[in-house]
Amino acid sequence: MLPVLSDDELYEYTGGGPPQSTADLAAWFGALESRKSPAGEELWLTWLLFKIEGHTALGYVQATVRHNAAEIAWLVGSAWQGTGYASEAASALTAWLTTNKLNRISASIHPDHLASHRVAQAAGLSNSGQIKHGEQVWLMKVPASSARL
């Protein structure tokens, strides 16, 4: 994953920066490994994306679940952007989340990040019109008939 995440351009809209070493990446994976926030009130779910042919790392999708709501995010390496991988992965993630006991799935997206707007739409989210910390909140309300666990 280090080559995928090392591209500075990936952080243009999200802030932060790439891991500087395999140790940085290992520390991040280590923090996610428990699948829970340090205080235990959130579930941290992360799936790495790989291209089947050649087992090439492409990026990841994430869901932070608290109570009956999930905040999702995705990242696909620059070399694979525009290929539909992010839309496919985010759609699979929202489909999986709707089969669980959730009533809301959201994503916070920079207003100028048009590619992520398209990914959110493909995943079934709609722009709510709300702004949170300078980002647009995209939302999917899960019908009660879909929410089961």
Side-chain angles (χ1 to χ4, degrees):
M1 285 297 294
L2 190 60
V4 174
L5 299 176
S6 293
D7 184 354
D8 287 325
E9 290 181 22
L10 292 175
Y11 306 92
E12 177 182 357
Y13 295 110
T14 61
Q20 299 300 306
S21 66
T22 54
D24 288 347
L25 190 57
W28 180 62
F29 282 137
L32 295 175
E33 193 171 26
S34 71
R35 295 186 180 97
K36 289 186 179 181
S37 62
E41 74 271 355
E42 295 176 337
L43 290 176
W44 291 348
L45 307 173
T46 302
W47 291 266
L48 299 182
L49 307 177
F50 288 89
K51 194 171 181 180
I52 293 173
E53 312 84 43
H55 303 286
T56 304
L58 303 173
Y60 61 84
V61 291
Q62 293 181 311
T64 300
V65 180
R66 184 180 180 114
H67 303 296
N68 56 356
E71 173 88 14
I72 65 171
W74 51 85
L75 180 139
V76 169
S78 297
W80 301 281
Q81 291 181 5
T83 61
Y85 289 124
S87 293
E88 181 180 355
S91 295
L93 177 58
T94 56
W96 182 81
L97 288 168
T98 61
T99 66
N100 289 280
K101 197 174 179 177
L102 300 174
N103 62 18
R104 175 187 159 113
I105 299 170
S106 63
S108 297
I109 303 172
H110 190 284
D112 297 332
H113 199 325
L114 301 180
S116 277
H117 295 184
R118 291 189 294 274
V119 171
Q121 287 175 322
L125 283 74
S126 300
N127 188 340
S128 71
Q130 299 173 345
I131 302 291
K132 180 179 172 184
H133 305 294
E135 295 187 317
Q136 296 173 336
V137 177
W138 289 69
L139 184 62
M140 172 194 284
K141 292 188 179 178
V142 181
S145 61
S146 297
R148 61 187 188 283
L149 186 56

